[in-house]
Amino acid sequence: MTEYAVTDPATGRLVRRFPTATDAEVDTAVEAAGRAFRAWRLRPVAERAAYLAAAAERYRADRERLAGIITREMGKTTAEALGEVDLCARIYDYYAQNAAAFTADRVLDVSHGTATVRTEPIGALLGIMPWNYPHYQVARFAAPNIALGNTVLLKHAPSCPESAGAVAGLLADAGLPEGVYTNLYATEAQCVRIIEHPAVQGVSLTGSERAGRAVGEVAGRAMKKTVLELGGSDPFIVLPDADLGRAVRAAVAGRMGNAGQACTASKRFIVLDEVYDAFVEGFVDAVARLRVGDPTEEGVDLGPLSSEAAAVHVAGQVADAVAHGATVLTGGGRPDRPGAFVEPTVLTGVAPGTRAYREEIFGPVAVVHRVATVDEAVELANDTPYGLGSVVFGEDEEAALAVADRLDVGMVSVNAPSRTQADLPFGGVKASGVGRELGEYGMAEFVNRKLLRTR
């Protein structure tokens, strides 16, 4: 049975349990979302956008309280939690400002008569969201679809029920009509029930590859549209002409932000021979100086992982790598203190076939590889079932972009760490999922591109 509960990962203390929805409550919510869609889709886009602008204002006005909930639920440092809340406000503002342009009719140049493509919503949607960014993940799914005229049913991670309720309350305070956005403390079995309901026309999941495959299978049988944002094992390539100071700073930020719990975090550092020793020396020194501790304390760089189970899993990946010959250059263990903490760690010599080589490491552990040529770097970067984000560092931008063109990923950042922006498309290929979110592309997934033709 799915249990919704807040457990502070910094202390292991159970804070509060939340009741799971009944089947009757789920059915009532889905039917209400279907009814709300019929009216919501007819509102002028400017009216729908006004609700998003109001939501952005509420995020800014209540940022400290919302950030505190994030930290309590999943251990994000206060500074990072505040940054997440601010990003949500920017996302809601972005779609409020651009919804009309993104949904405008497109007149086609045709040989006979006239033809127009109209962008229309498709119905109620189910969002299944993870714990690592409990507000941002919801915003990037909900904001464009609410603006478009779809209605949203949201099933959040069981460890983030307080954030789930806070988002629903914030949108209600922004004036959204009943049924346009509904939070559900639903079970996995109930999610199947929701996807199969005739009123629901699509499902968006951000989470693990396993969860994505399960949801994709159900949605496929039900002929429902999907967007799946799954895992990543993102490469970070350092070319011989890279500015090593900038590369090291980006490597630390890209790997250790959010305690390494991000699908787009740089996880595999692939460094050319000529600069390998210097890069590793700077990187290890910077990682070793990171401060781990209470996420509410000023000056702390890394809080705990989201749960004790997550910490045990990451520690197991490190132990398996070491057992098969890997070298720990810094960290490698767990601090002697209560809570789901893992030391910031740098590994080298990680062998193919080990867990740390093939699996996504969802924690503050960096794996560094040494390569002799650019071709070898590209081959190693692509040797993964995932294809989400990546980073390439090199002062010759044309050469760096040529490397970027050879990577089998959805996103490449040149001479900067991977970064999320409201106006940039987000998504991957291979086992990292299907579809895109954010930017104009975030409003182009759950739509009906209706052709209107006259002779």
Side-chain angles (χ1 to χ4, degrees):
M1 181 68 177
T2 302
E3 181 183 57
Y4 285 84
V6 177
T7 299
D8 186 341
T11 64
R13 182 177 65 88
L14 175 65
V15 178
R16 183 184 171 190
R17 289 189 173 92
F18 289 70
T20 303
T22 65
D23 287 349
E25 289 170 337
V26 168
D27 291 344
T28 298
V30 175
E31 290 161 8
R35 289 193 302 273
F37 169 70
R38 293 192 287 273
W40 184 244
R41 66 175 302 179
L42 300 178
R43 295 279 193 105
V45 66
E47 285 188 20
R48 297 195 298 260
Y51 289 102
L52 300 188
E57 285 301 314
R58 278 156 178 76
Y59 261 110
R60 282 188 283 266
D62 208 11
R63 63 193 295 268
E64 287 81 9
R65 182 182 71 88
L66 297 172
I69 293 172
I70 294 171
T71 298
R72 182 165 56 251
E73 284 185 318
M74 55 76 58
K76 198 187 303 283
T77 65
T78 296
E80 289 179 317
L82 288 168
E84 180 178 343
V85 173
D86 293 342
L87 175 58
C88 292
R90 292 195 296 273
I91 290 171
Y92 280 101
D93 267 339
Y94 175 79
Y95 286 108
Q97 295 160 9
N98 291 283
F102 292 163
T103 57
D105 288 354
R106 180 185 173 196
V107 178
L108 304 183
D109 184 9
V110 294
S111 55
H112 299 286
T114 65
T116 301
V117 174
R118 181 155 294 162
T119 299
E120 295 185 344
I122 61 173
L125 307 174
L126 172 63
I128 303 174
M129 295 296 123
W131 48 261
N132 58 331
Y133 291 93
H135 284 253
Y136 153 67
Q137 305 280 8
V138 176
R140 72 182 192 184
F141 162 64
N145 283 299
I146 290 171
L148 179 63
N150 293 317
T151 56
V152 171
L153 297 153
L154 203 292
K155 186 267 183 207
H156 218 312
S159 60
C160 294
E162 195 174 357
S163 283
V167 172
L170 182 149
L171 293 174
D173 289 344
L176 274 186
E178 186 176 353
V180 173
Y181 181 97
T182 305
N183 173 61
L184 284 170
Y185 296 128
T187 66
E188 291 182 5
Q190 289 169 340
C191 286
V192 174
R193 187 187 190 98
I194 295 168
I195 294 169
E196 292 175 342
H197 195 286
V200 174
Q201 294 302 310
V203 55
S204 178
L205 175 139
T206 298
S208 68
E209 179 187 350
R210 179 198 62 79
R213 291 184 185 278
V215 166
E217 181 179 357
V218 175
R221 289 199 306 267
M223 294 292 289
K224 304 297 174 69
K225 166 77 180 192
T226 60
V227 169
L228 305 174
E229 299 289 0
L230 311 178
S233 188
D234 294 9
F236 185 116
I237 297 175
V238 184
L239 300 174
D241 66 337
D243 180 325
L244 292 186
R246 289 173 58 203
V248 165
R249 290 191 294 273
V252 175
R255 172 66 281 204
M256 299 299 167
N258 204 36
Q261 300 168 114
C263 51
T264 54
S266 295
K267 300 180 177 80
R268 298 177 297 135
F269 296 84
I270 303 169
V271 188
L272 273 291
D273 264 334
E274 296 92 325
V275 291
Y276 179 87
D277 291 335
F279 173 83
V280 169
E281 180 181 2
F283 185 41
V284 170
D285 178 66
V287 170
R289 286 188 279 108
L290 293 174
R291 184 182 170 197
V292 179
D294 183 338
T296 64
E297 288 185 9
E298 188 174 351
V300 167
D301 299 300
L302 276 78
L305 270 61
S306 63
S307 67
E308 179 62 20
V312 169
H313 183 78
V314 171
Q317 290 173 306
V318 172
D320 177 72
V322 172
H324 289 86
T327 299
V328 177
L329 299 184
T330 188
R334 298 189 58 185
D336 183 18
R337 59 176 298 158
F341 293 90
V342 172
E343 293 175 344
T345 299
V346 179
L347 299 175
T348 60
V350 172
T354 58
R355 293 177 58 194
Y357 188 94
R358 300 303 302 177
E359 297 175 4
E360 178 183 27
I361 303 179
F362 220 61
V365 178
V367 175
V368 186
H369 299 278
R370 183 174 200 149
V371 294
T373 67
V374 170
D375 287 345
E376 186 181 348
V378 171
E379 182 178 1
L380 181 56
N382 290 333
D383 184 23
T384 173
Y386 299 107
L388 191 55
S390 59
V391 174
V392 179
F393 259 84
E395 288 299 282
D396 183 338
E397 189 170 287
E398 185 175 343
L401 287 170
V403 173
D405 281 340
R406 298 171 64 187
L407 300 179
D408 299 333
V409 296
M411 304 173 285
V412 186
S413 182
V414 175
N415 290 326
S418 294
R419 180 183 176 188
T420 293
Q421 293 180 197
D423 54 353
L424 293 179
F426 184 104
V429 296
K430 301 193 292 187
S432 289
V434 294
R436 291 295 183 271
E437 293 184 302
L438 295 177
E440 184 174 359
Y441 296 87
M443 200 174 274
E445 293 287 353
F446 295 103
V447 300
N448 174 21
R449 301 291 193 188
K450 182 185 288 184
L451 173 65
L452 304 174
R453 182 184 179 194
T454 64
R455 294 186 65 180

